[in-house]
Amino acid sequence: MSRILVRGGRILDPTTNRDESGDVLIEGGVIAAVGEGLDARGAEIIDAEGGWIAPGFFDMHTHLREPGQEYKEDIASGGRSAVAGGFTSVACMANTHPVNDDPATTGFILDRGRHESPARIYPIAAATRGLAGETVTEMSALAEAGAVAFSDDGRTIQDGGVMRHVLEYSKLVDGLVIVHAEDCSLVGAGVMNEGPVSTRLGLPGNPSIAEDVLVMRDLMLAELTGARLHVAHVSSGVSVAAIRNAKERGVSVTAEVSPHHLTLTDEAAIGYDTNTKVAPPLRSAADVAACREGLVDGTLDAIATDHAPHALHEKDLDFVEAPPGLLGFETALPVVLDLVRNGEITPLELVRRLSTNPARILNRPGGDLAVGSPADLVIVDPERSWLYDPAKGYSKSRNSPWAGQMMQGRAIATIVGGRLVYHVDKGVLVP
Ligand code: DOR
């Protein structure tokens, strides 16, 4: 196994609050030393001058579309796109075809991940069979097969009794239940946030209360059952406040927010660009501000992309018909660096939310730069300007609202298990 010296960067390790310049030496797939002026003999040198050296990002919410919809993405292309964005670990949702609701599918995804993806792949299994919201999956068999959490993401379990059972069963395997919170009866036919912009565009609105009532229901059920709940892609200010309040009461809840819900409002839909259609929808400026505040104060623990590739012909429909979702991996870092540039969050705290917290929530390795830990690292140039063209990216799809825009900040190199898997000048290197 090779020896790599990452030299002369700003070392950011949220687990020790380390924020100082130095080198990281990698040997045998693990971090061998962290400090200044480390011995470079025989090592491949990666220059991190002017950049950050951080634990690799961990995306706990993605859609890799394999098995079944490989025309949108597969585990290989998704994994390549992930490492190009600085992600060394990725958890993928169960809304595949077939749904990941049985141990064989979980095992298949793990196997494909091991052989095809440069990023580590962690399957999230369905919480109910077929994502139908009726029958709880066999969680212990799924956990044994390698599922890291349970979620019907993309759909919401509408029946409170079923959700209660899901939470109760999850406790038997000490599992995490991830909720996509939308009450379908309140969403109705809504395709974007309900408000002045939806009225102006003549599009049916999906009100934020559709999210809020489900978040509140599930917080109460988590409190009742004592199960571990994680709220996916929070987009509403009321939901942020409810989660904050639940945490204060001691409810076992964590939450994530996506780069798009931190930076884009419903006004992004004014040109009817279907790449701005997501579930839950982009909301008001007040909601975006509340999400940013929630991320900064720790109410929202993690940043997760909800990377959701869709083919051109699917997004090339009118706004009502097009499926929701946008690409996340390769734009996440420059998009969320906006909060650092604005002085809202420090680089160290941003890395905690991109890396350490999601690894801890899913109870997987990663998220630190301790000697002996797996060498999963990202080197970031926070200033680098570049033009984002999805056609030049690694996803099979192109659905991004940031296409054609100048970005600031980029992953320069990504290392997984001690192997350099991406370098900005060379592209993705393995497999
Ligand atoms: O926008 C979204 N797209 N939100 C989801 O929850 C599902 C996802 C998808 O699978 O396309």
Side-chain angles (χ1 to χ4, degrees), residues 129-154:
R129 254 191 247 160
L131 307 178
E134 290 164 6
T135 312
V136 183
T137 49
E138 293 188 27
M139 290 184 176
S140 61
L142 289 161
E144 211 165 289
V148 296
F150 302 95
S151 181
D152 278 7
D153 181 69

Side-chain angles (χ1 to χ4, degrees), residues 37 52 64 75 126 139 143 163 174 181 185 195 206 245 289 314 389 418 423:
W52 304 348
L64 300 182
I75 288 167
M139 290 184 176
M163 186 59 173
D174 192 25
S185 66
N206 169 356
N245 182 277
E314 294 167 317
D389 175 2
H423 191 283

Side-chain angles (χ1 to χ4, degrees), residues 24-27 30-34 370-373:
V24 175
L25 182 67
I26 296 162
E27 258 171 352
V30 299
I31 295 173
V34 182
V371 170
S373 283

Side-chain angles (χ1 to χ4, degrees), residues 63 65 95 153-154 180 233 278-279 306 308 310 324-325:
H63 300 271
R65 307 301 191 207
N95 61 341
D153 181 69
H180 171 133
H233 41 47
V278 275
D306 195 7
H310 291 291

Side-chain angles (χ1 to χ4, degrees), residues 107 124 180 188 208 264 267 277 319 331 339 364 370 380 397:
I124 295 168
H180 171 133
S208 50
L264 299 176
E267 295 197 354
K277 182 176 175 183
F319 207 93
T331 47
L339 280 92
R364 299 297 123 176
V380 168
S397 293

